[in-house]
C-alpha cells in the first residue's frame, strides 16, 4: 500500500533559508530564529496563522515529475481559496499562488519550496491564512524585491478558522492525488 503522509502545522515565528537564499535578503536582525534548510528557493517566513504543509509522498506512486507535483500543490491552494471567493492564479516563471498576477497589484498568498530525494518529497508550502504579514517586511520574500505578500485574512478583512481551511485543503490534495488519508 501507499505509505504517504501529509503534515499540516503552524510554526513559531521563523525565517528559513532555502538552497538559493542570500543572507542579504534578511534585511534587519530580529530575535526570530533563522534556519538553513535543504529545500529549494530563497528566504521565507513561517509563523502563527500560516498553514505550513509538508507532504511526504513517494512520487513513484503518482508521477515522477517535480513540476507537475508543484502545480498540484498550487492547484490545491487555488481550489481552497476559491471556496472563500478568492481568485488565485499562477504567475509565469514563478512558483506559488498569486492574486492579480501580471498587474501592479499582484501579490503572493502561498509560497512553495520543495525537495525530492529518490522521488520522495520533502518541505512544501507556506499558505498565508491569518499570518501576521509585518514579518515579511524584515526579509525579501523568496528573493523577489518588488512583489507583495498577502493572506486570506488580509483579502477578506477578518480572520478565518484555520482548522476549516486546513480540512478543505486536505480534501483538495486528496482529490488531486487520488489517495485516502487515515
Amino acid at each position: 500500500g501507499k505509505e504517504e503522509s501529509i503534515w499540516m502545522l503552524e510554526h513559531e515565528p521563523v525565517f528559513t533559508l532555502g538552497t538559493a537564499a542570500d543572507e542579504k535578503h534578511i534585511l534587519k536582525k530580529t530575535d526570530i530564529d533563522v534556519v538553513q534548510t535543504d529545500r529549494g528557493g530563497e528566504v521565507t517566513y513561517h509563523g502563527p496563522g500560516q498553514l505550513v504543509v509538508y507532504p511526504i509522498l513517494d512520487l513513484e506512486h503518482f508521477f515522477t515529475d517535480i513540476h507537475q507535483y508543484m502545480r498540484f500543490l498550487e492547484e490545491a491552494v487555488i481550489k481552497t481559496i476559491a471556496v472563500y471567493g478568492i481568485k488565485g492564479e499562477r504567475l509565469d516563471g514563478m512558483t506559488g499562488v498569486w492574486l492579480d498576477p501580471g498587474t501592479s497589484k499582484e501579490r503572493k498568498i502561498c509560497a512553495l519550496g520543495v525537495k525530492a530525494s529518490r522521488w520522495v518529497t520533502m518541505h512544501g508550502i507556506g499558505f498565508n491564512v491569518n499570518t501576521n504579514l509585518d514579518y515579511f517586511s524584515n526579509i525579501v520574500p523568496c528573493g523577489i524585491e518588488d512583489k507583495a505578500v498577502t493572506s486570506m485574512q488580509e483579502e477578506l478583512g477578518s480572520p478565518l478558522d484555520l482548522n476549516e481551511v486546513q480540512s478543505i485543503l486536505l480534501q483538495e490534495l486528496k482529490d488531486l492525488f487520488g489517495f485516502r488519508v487515515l
Side-chain angles (χ1 to χ4, degrees):
K2 299 176 182 179
E3 294 296 314
E4 318 300 343
S5 301
I6 299 180
W7 298 351
M8 294 191 174
L9 53 133
E10 287 178 274
H11 279 297
E12 291 298 306
V14 62
F15 293 122
T16 67
L17 302 172
T19 52
D22 183 336
E23 288 274 0
K24 290 197 299 291
H25 287 156
I26 295 181
L27 302 175
K28 50 181 188 273
K29 288 284 175 254
T30 63
D31 52 4
I32 294 178
D33 287 344
V34 176
V35 179
Q36 180 70 53
T37 73
D38 60 356
R39 65 168 169 77
E42 313 229 11
V43 62
T44 195
Y45 165 76
H46 294 310
Q50 181 190 65
L51 200 49
V52 184
V53 184
Y54 296 108
I56 302 170
L57 309 179
D58 183 344
L59 291 183
E60 289 191 344
H61 296 160
F62 302 99
F63 43 76
T64 49
D65 181 336
I66 203 77
H67 293 286
Q68 186 182 346
Y69 171 67
M70 291 172 78
R71 300 300 81 79
F72 269 35
L73 295 183
E74 290 163 351
E75 190 64 22
V77 172
I78 288 169
K79 289 181 156 177
T80 299
I81 64 179
V83 171
Y84 296 89
I86 300 172
K87 184 172 171 30
E89 298 178 77
R90 294 185 180 85
L91 180 57
D92 280 348
M94 300 278 181
T95 63
V97 177
W98 299 78
L99 309 189
D100 297 318
T103 73
S104 60
K105 294 194 313 227
E106 70 187 7
R107 56 216 183 275
K108 190 192 290 201
I109 197 163
C110 174
L112 260 70
V114 302
K115 177 183 165 67
S117 176
R118 299 196 177 102
W119 295 113
V120 175
T121 64
M122 287 169 271
H123 304 292
I125 70 175
F127 174 19
N128 294 322
V129 180
N130 301 325
T131 319
N132 177 345
L133 301 174
D134 294 345
Y135 288 108
F136 286 99
S137 64
N138 294 320
I139 60 173
V140 180
C142 304
I144 306 168
E145 304 275 355
D146 59 339
K147 306 232 187 299
V149 176
T150 191
S151 67
M152 291 181 73
Q153 177 176 355
E154 178 80 5
E155 297 300 319
L156 298 173
S158 58
L160 289 103
D161 177 339
L162 199 67
N163 290 329
E164 179 186 86
V165 175
Q166 178 174 316
S167 31
I168 294 169
L169 179 60
L170 184 59
Q171 188 58 54
E172 294 296 350
L173 287 166
K174 289 186 203 175
D175 290 350
L176 277 165
F177 284 95
F179 53 65
R180 291 175 324 199
V181 177
L182 300 176

